[in-house]
Amino acid sequence: MKKRRYQDVAVNHLREYSSIYLFVIVLFLMGVIFGAVIVNSLSFTQKEDLFYYLSQFFGQAASGKVADGRDLFLQSFMHNGKFIGLIWILGVSIIGLPVILVLLFMKGMVVGFTVGFLVNQMQWDGFLLSFVSILPQNFIIIPVFIITAAMAVTFSLKMIKNQFMKKISQPIMPSFFRYIFSFLAALVFLAMAAAIEAYLSPAALKAVINSLN
């Protein structure tokens, strides 16, 4: 019964704020496209320097000289946890709304640049390397970021309505508790993504690099 009730709440939430979710998804995709386009604007020297450091990393990955799995897990979880934590805090503050959108766009830009650079420099091999090293954890991380950003935007808009439109003000506490729960759920999914990045991706990357060599 409880599960059914939570599903109804989620469906109603998505239906009510579908336009915001669509906007956030489009904004993220624009960031990905922009990041991929930036690759082509780099000079030859910049590409060579970046590719040199990338080759060094791939060489270390192939020889198994990457950081310990536990360290990688903590690093990934803390990095992504801080990112959505910042988005969550900005959602509580009224003035943080535009910053949330900028952060999401920048996240998309980083993903687009990384994948775009690998493909630009290594063609099919670059796509294969990005597929095993970047995409597995991002299949979880990207939806978490998008959903967290969308919920932060919706909560921020509710705060703005309550602050400046007194006639249609609604109780904010139920929404705030749901907002807290969404952040805790996001942390659980980010822990799963960090485990993939720490224990699965390095092994897959090592196997692919050795097969390409």
Side-chain angles (χ1 to χ4, degrees):
M1 194 69 181
K2 278 188 177 182
K3 184 178 179 182
R4 178 67 180 176
R5 189 173 64 192
Y6 290 141
Q7 286 175 344
D8 290 341
V9 170
V11 169
N12 291 333
H13 174 82
L14 289 172
R15 187 181 294 117
E16 184 178 358
Y17 298 105
S18 58
S19 58
I20 292 176
Y21 279 88
L22 180 62
F23 173 75
V24 167
I25 291 170
V26 170
L27 181 67
F28 179 83
L29 291 176
M30 286 175 61
V32 172
I33 294 169
F34 187 73
V37 169
I38 287 179
V39 174
N40 294 322
S41 67
L42 295 176
S43 67
F44 177 78
T45 304
Q46 289 173 322
K47 288 182 180 179
E48 285 292 300
D49 290 342
L50 281 173
F51 188 67
Y52 171 76
Y53 291 115
L54 199 61
S55 299
Q56 292 285 97
F57 169 75
F58 285 147
Q60 291 176 349
S63 59
K65 294 179 181 177
V66 293
D68 179 68
R70 181 174 175 275
D71 293 336
L72 283 174
F73 174 84
L74 291 174
Q75 184 180 354
S76 173
F77 181 73
M78 292 300 295
H79 172 74
N80 293 315
K82 287 177 183 177
F83 190 88
I84 66 161
L86 178 59
I87 290 177
W88 190 89
I89 292 170
L90 290 169
V92 177
S93 64
I94 295 174
I95 60 173
L97 180 58
V99 184
I100 294 169
L101 302 177
V102 171
L103 287 174
L104 188 67
F105 181 84
M106 289 176 62
K107 179 63 180 177
M109 193 172 69
V110 169
V111 173
F113 179 85
T114 307
V115 176
F117 182 78
L118 282 170
V119 174
N120 180 270
Q121 292 296 298
M122 303 176 68
Q123 286 76 46
W124 170 250
D125 290 349
F127 174 78
L128 194 59
L129 288 170
S130 66
F131 186 81
V132 298
S133 63
I134 299 169
L135 294 183
Q137 60 269 22
N138 276 294
F139 277 129
I140 298 176
I141 292 172
I142 290 173
V144 168
F145 281 169
I146 288 174
I147 293 171
T148 302
M151 294 198 71
V153 169
T154 58
F155 187 78
S156 185
L157 289 174
K158 281 186 179 181
M159 295 272 289
I160 292 171
K161 285 181 182 179
N162 278 20
Q163 188 72 24
F164 300 106
M165 304 171 74
K166 302 292 185 182
K167 291 182 181 180
I168 58 171
S169 63
Q170 298 174 347
I172 200 69
M173 289 311 293
S175 297
F176 183 65
F177 286 128
R178 286 196 294 269
Y179 191 48
I180 293 175
F181 176 77
S182 69
F183 175 68
L184 296 176
L187 290 178
V188 173
F189 282 102
L190 287 183
M192 293 167 56
I196 292 173
E197 186 172 358
Y199 299 106
L200 180 62
S201 292
L205 181 61
K206 180 179 179 180
V208 169
I209 292 172
N210 289 332
S211 67
L212 293 176
N213 290 335

